[in-house]
């Protein structure tokens, strides 16, 4: 841990040196999905962003406990305190038990994450499995005087909290303005102010997901699960809390208020947020018709897609932007990523076949340091990728016979490519592809070795036939001094 990781803390609005509370242990909590539909590009971005952080922290020598929750109760429509529970609604429409809906979409989410090579978290707690803990958390907030009961529901008293603390510190929202504009609600609603948020909601008779509590048969408010499960698994104070920028307000703002009210202190040392994905400049949304699921990307089955995109193309596309920048999806942008990844993979595969010479005529010195420096600078993956592309040029120079590389430089280059491409960026390339892909590559190699044999036997007709028919299938075969190279 001699390298200093610098991260941008949303709360202090600046880059800071990461210092864990109990090194070498790091607690990382990331808001996971609400599982009532298939994952889309917006789900892929936080998963990939915090996968990079998880991988890099471990690379630096930390022991990371990574908690990513599953929201399976309490996420109401419009993210407000009103409306039907999203999962309950899906269950009603599909005539299923709510947990059947959750399991179905959770299995599909896991499959998509595996395809994207996102490592599973250490713990994946469900909100519905922590109702008792959430009720205890509400009791603590009531005891501290920052919540009130009304008609069987419990609400957080934002106005009272804001007198002693700062509600709005994370999002920068002006709470006085919010309170000012919500005064008219007094006496007309079970909430005192519309800015107050539910900690516990009494279930309406038609609401199918409910549990007993001291206040009513009901269910927890959405924000409560993350305060409860974060502190349960990572301690009352833990290192990093992450999520998408769309969660800063109200979700994370409310989490800070809940933890401060219940525990008398803030739980989170560093808040990290990834920026959003737009599609052709527009926010993604079902009503806009630009809502593309990950499966649709992988199969190309959406009217906005001109082709299918592999999970690794999606991953590379996301990593080509810094996580705090917006990413605008378009077919052109994804096709450019597909080509870029193919170029990098090809260079990697050529690197593995290079033979060393007495000395290097290409300069690859300092690549490892430059890549580490970029990662330590708030996980700057696009810069890491550009350094790898520079090295790819050197590899191609040597592979094309226009330069040489020493054994030491070659070994270092191989180690750096494996570390950054495979282990840290989590990209599965041609050289690493397993299973059927290995068999397929083996078959092409076999065919080309037979062709080498036919050339040695001066059987030019067979040799040409193999090359021409492979070319017709889209293979690009090159004869080299050591034998052959091919690509598709
Ligand atoms: Zn959350």
């Amino acid at each position: 841990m001699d390298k200093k990781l610098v991260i941008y803390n949303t709360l202090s609005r600046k880059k800071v040196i990461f210092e864990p509370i109990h090194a070498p242990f790091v607690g990382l909590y990331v808001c996971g999905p609400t599982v009532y539909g298939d994952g889309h590009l917006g789900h892929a971005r936080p998963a990939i962003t915090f996968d990079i952080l998880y991988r890099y922290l471990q690379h630096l020598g930390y022991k990371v406990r990574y908690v990513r929750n599953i929201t399976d109760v309490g996420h109401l429509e419009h993210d407000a305190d009103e409306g039907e529970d999203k999962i309950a609604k899906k269950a009603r429409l599909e005539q299923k038990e709510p947990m059947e809906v959750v399991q179905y979409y959770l299995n599909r989410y896991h499959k998509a994450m595996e395809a994207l090579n996102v490592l599973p978290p250490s713990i994946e707690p469900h909100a519905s499995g922590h109702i008792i803990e959430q009720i205890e958390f509400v009791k603590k907030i009531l005891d501290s005087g920052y919540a009130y009961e009304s008609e069987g529901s419990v609400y957080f008293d934002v106005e009272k909290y804001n007198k002693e603390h700062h509600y709005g510190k994370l999002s920068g929202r002006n709470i006085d303005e919010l309170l000012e504009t919500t005064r008219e609600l007094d006496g007309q609603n079970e909430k005192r102010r519309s800015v107050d948020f539910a900690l516990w909601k009494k279930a309406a008779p038609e609401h199918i997901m409910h549990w007993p509590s001291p206040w009513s048969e009901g269910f927890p408010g959405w924000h409560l699960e993350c305060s409860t499960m974060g502190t349960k698994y990572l301690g009352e104070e833990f290192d990093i809390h992450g999520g998408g920028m769309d969660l800063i307000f109200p979700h994370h703002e409310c989490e800070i208020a809940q933890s401060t009210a219940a525990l008398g202190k803030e739980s989170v040392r560093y808040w990290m947020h990834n920026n959003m994905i737009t599609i052709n400049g527009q926010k993604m949304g079902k009503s806009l018709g630009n809502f593309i699921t990950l499966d649709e990307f992988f199969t190309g089955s959406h009217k906005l897609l001109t082709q299918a995109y592999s999970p690794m193309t999606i991953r590379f596309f996301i990593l080509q932007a810094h996580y705090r920048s917006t990413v605008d999806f378009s077919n052109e942008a994804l096709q450019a990523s597909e080509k870029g990844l193919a170029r990098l993979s090809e260079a990697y595969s050529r690197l593995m076949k290079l033979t060393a010479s007495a000395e290097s005529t290409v300069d690859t010195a300092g690549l490892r340091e430059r890549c580490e420096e970029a990662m330590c600078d708030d996980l700057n993956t696009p810069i890491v990728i550009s350094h790898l592309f520079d090295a790819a040029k050197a590899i191609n120079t040597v592979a094309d016979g226009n330069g040489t590389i020493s054994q030491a430089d070659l070994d270092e280059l191989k180690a750096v490519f494996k570390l950054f491409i495979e282990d840290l960026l989590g990209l599965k390339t041609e050289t690493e592809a397993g299973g059927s892909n290995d068999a397929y590559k083996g078959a092409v190699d076999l065919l080309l070795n037979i062709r080498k044999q036919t050339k040695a036997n001066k059987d030019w007709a067979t040799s040409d036939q193999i090359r021409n028919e492979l070319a017709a299938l889209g293979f690009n075969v090159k004869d080299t001094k050591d034998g052959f190279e091919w690509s598709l």
Side-chain angles (χ1 to χ4, degrees), residues 29 31 69 226 241 251-252 255:
Y29 187 93
C31 290
N69 70 302
C226 292
H241 192 316
H251 188 54
H252 292 159
E255 271 190 51

Side-chain angles (χ1 to χ4, degrees), residues 22 89 135 155 166 226 238 253 264 266 294 316-317 341 353 421 434 484:
H22 304 290
K89 182 181 179 183
I135 289 172
Y155 292 98
H166 178 191
C226 292
F238 60 89
E253 195 75 65
E266 277 184 43
L294 290 169
F316 191 66
F317 170 67
L341 181 59
K353 291 179 202 141
I421 294 180
F484 54 84

Side-chain angles (χ1 to χ4, degrees), residues 240-380:
I240 304 173
H241 192 316
M245 262 173 65
D246 54 334
L247 295 179
I248 293 177
F249 191 88
H251 188 54
H252 292 159
E253 195 75 65
C254 294
E255 271 190 51
I256 292 179
Q258 288 169 158
S259 297
T260 308
L263 309 169
K265 58 190 163 200
E266 277 184 43
S267 292
V268 177
R269 186 173 269 200
Y270 306 99
W271 285 91
M272 291 177 76
H273 293 94
N274 63 274
N275 213 319
M276 310 313 288
I277 287 183
T278 53
I279 295 196
N280 297 318
Q282 274 188 312
K283 217 185 143 176
M284 247 184 299
K286 284 218 162 93
S287 54
L288 294 168
N290 65 1
F291 189 89
I292 312 174
T293 69
L294 290 169
D295 274 348
E296 286 166 340
F297 274 107
F298 302 161
T299 56
S301 59
H302 188 283
K303 64 176 170 25
L304 287 180
L305 300 177
T306 53
Q307 62 170 89
Y309 298 100
S310 76
M312 280 308 110
T313 298
I314 300 283
R315 188 173 174 109
F316 191 66
F317 170 67
I318 287 174
L319 293 177
Q320 278 183 301
H322 188 263
Y323 75 91
R324 287 192 290 115
S325 313
T326 53
V327 166
D328 189 44
F329 154 83
S330 64
N331 281 294
E332 295 72 40
L334 269 182
Q335 281 155 11
S337 289
E338 189 177 47
K339 282 199 191 103
L341 181 59
R343 271 206 330 272
L344 199 57
S345 302
E346 200 195 335
Y348 190 11
S349 140
R350 295 183 93 182
L351 169 66
M352 298 315 282
K353 291 179 202 141
L354 287 187
T355 43
S357 303
E359 58 183 49
S360 296
T361 60
V362 290
D363 183 14
T364 57
L367 177 66
R368 182 190 293 266
E369 291 71 21
R370 286 195 296 278
C371 289
E372 292 274 7
E373 200 181 305
M375 285 298 280
C376 279
D377 182 13
D378 199 24
L379 310 175
N380 205 333

Side-chain angles (χ1 to χ4, degrees), residues 392-464:
K393 274 184 215 146
I395 291 166
N396 289 333
T397 301
V398 178
D400 290 340
N402 300 322
T404 58
I405 189 163
S406 70
Q407 191 64 52
D409 286 350
L410 183 58
D411 291 346
E412 169 68 359
L413 210 47
K414 282 181 182 173
V416 172
F417 263 56
K418 172 167 188 322
L419 174 63
F420 281 90
I421 294 180
E422 294 178 21
D423 303 345
L424 296 176
L425 297 182
L427 296 165
K428 286 186 181 164
T429 62
E430 294 279 306
T431 54
E432 205 211 355
S436 58
N437 223 334
D438 271 351
Y440 144 81
K441 284 178 59 203
V444 180
D445 283 342
L446 173 68
L447 203 52
L448 289 173
N449 275 316
I450 293 172
R451 175 168 170 264
K452 213 164 120 184
Q453 206 64 52
T454 60
K455 277 165 67 181
N457 298 339
K458 300 195 185 329
D459 177 3
W460 308 115
T462 310
S463 161
D464 287 349

Side-chain angles (χ1 to χ4, degrees), residues 167-235:
Y167 184 83
K169 66 194 297 186
L170 182 69
S171 60
R173 301 255 173 144
N174 185 334
I175 191 61
D176 292 328
E177 248 167 45
L178 277 175
L179 289 169
E180 207 55 45
T181 55
T182 58
R183 189 160 288 162
E184 77 279 4
L185 268 190
D186 287 352
Q188 296 173 18
N189 192 290
E190 60 183 50
K191 282 204 261 186
R192 290 181 191 159
R193 301 226 173 232
S194 66
V195 71
D196 293 350
F197 55 91
L199 299 171
W200 186 265
K201 282 285 278 184
K202 182 182 176 178
E206 66 275 13
H207 199 101
I208 48 179
M209 297 167 84
H210 48 80
W211 291 263
S213 81
W215 314 287
S216 63
E217 185 77 18
F219 54 93
W222 171 39
H223 315 307
L224 190 63
E225 63 177 272
C226 292
S227 287
T228 305
M229 298 190 292
T231 53
K232 177 181 165 96
Y233 294 112
L234 299 174

